[in-house]
Amino acid sequence: MAGKVEQGWFKLFLAADAQRAAAVSRGENRSEATRMILREQNEIRRREGKKALQAQSFERIMKAGRFLKGLQPNIEVEQVKCGYVQIELLSRLERHSPVLVAAVLPDVLQNNMPAGELQRQIEELKQADPLAHAIANRNSVRSITASHEKSCQKALEATSPYLFGGSSARIWKQEGAYPAVTPNWFVTNNEKIVAGIFSRVGSKSKNALAAAFELYFLANNYREVCTNIWMIFPERSEITRNLAFLAVKLGGAPTSGGWLKIAILDDNEITAFSEGDYGHAQLLDDFDGGSEIGLQIPVKELITGEQLRLSAFQIKPGYRL
């Protein structure tokens, strides 16, 4: 029997999912609606004597809920007795063995299979066939990237060009000559390039801050050519928060140029970060000002071989946006 878990997460997901869908149908900004829903849920939790949910945990709950609904569309709250972490692990297990996921799902839902056991099964599958695991991982990354780009394309076809450059703007898909280093789509208005749109899924192999810097530098390289740069992600993450923070500190946020547009694709709808999303961005949720945080680059002097770490970007202790 697994340990005690907070089972109310799926009920929260269903309520928040319905509430957000209703807000969006009324024309409200998805990001602002999500923030309001989280604030309301945390007020309820406070009255019940429960710890407040952080935005990242809330997004994980929403993602786990969508995955579970994908497995069992008609599932009821009473059937979910496990925690959302176990469902997250099921989504990882599915990459290796969808058949195994179907087999263990009843035990997981009854909370008879703890997270540690699911993790053990994932590790066993990795060790049993490392080559297949490596190929599966590569294929998974390619599949996720291709799927996100396809979803972005579908959303762009249904989105008014006015969002990107005016009612007479036109959106062009690049034909794949330089897919890694150029925007996936360009927006023109009277033959002038007014926006470059990147489809990105983030990176699990890189530090979130390093990945955010890489994306920021990529966007900045096209700033003069495209005027506005859009980065569309499948979900909020440490990378999107760090990228928003860099836009505030280095330029690109609504308060400093407004040329970098971070957006999330959810239910085939593109939702740009609001000014509040940038304003609330911070490098680390639990940063208490105890030390400097920044991008440290290890270097070696060519002649002497002397080594040191260059500080490319730093936040001083006690700093808050």
Side-chain angles (χ1 to χ4, degrees), residues 158-176:
T159 300
S160 169
Y162 187 82
L163 179 65
F164 306 103
S167 57
S168 61
R170 302 176 69 186
I171 303 175
W172 308 76
K173 187 179 189 304
Q174 68 120 320
E175 289 298 297

Side-chain angles (χ1 to χ4, degrees), residues 140-167:
S140 176
V141 171
R142 292 192 189 102
S143 176
I144 291 170
T145 301
S147 176
H148 179 54
E149 183 175 346
K150 184 177 180 180
S151 296
C152 286
Q153 175 84 18
K154 182 179 179 181
L156 288 170
E157 291 171 353
T159 300
S160 169
Y162 187 82
L163 179 65
F164 306 103
S167 57

Side-chain angles (χ1 to χ4, degrees), residues 188-240:
T188 62
N189 198 352
N190 296 324
E191 299 186 358
K192 177 184 177 182
I193 300 175
V194 294
I197 305 173
F198 288 91
S199 165
R200 288 294 184 267
V201 297
S203 172
K204 295 183 182 297
S205 62
K206 296 178 182 176
N207 172 275
L209 178 57
F213 265 105
E214 184 176 288
L215 291 172
Y216 182 85
F217 295 148
L218 177 63
N220 195 46
N221 282 339
Y222 283 94
R223 176 186 170 190
E224 296 300 323
V225 176
C226 299
T227 308
N228 293 303
I229 304 298
W230 286 74
M231 289 273 180
I232 305 178
F233 297 86
E235 61 187 356
R236 292 170 181 267
S237 66
E238 280 190 71
I239 292 175
T240 61

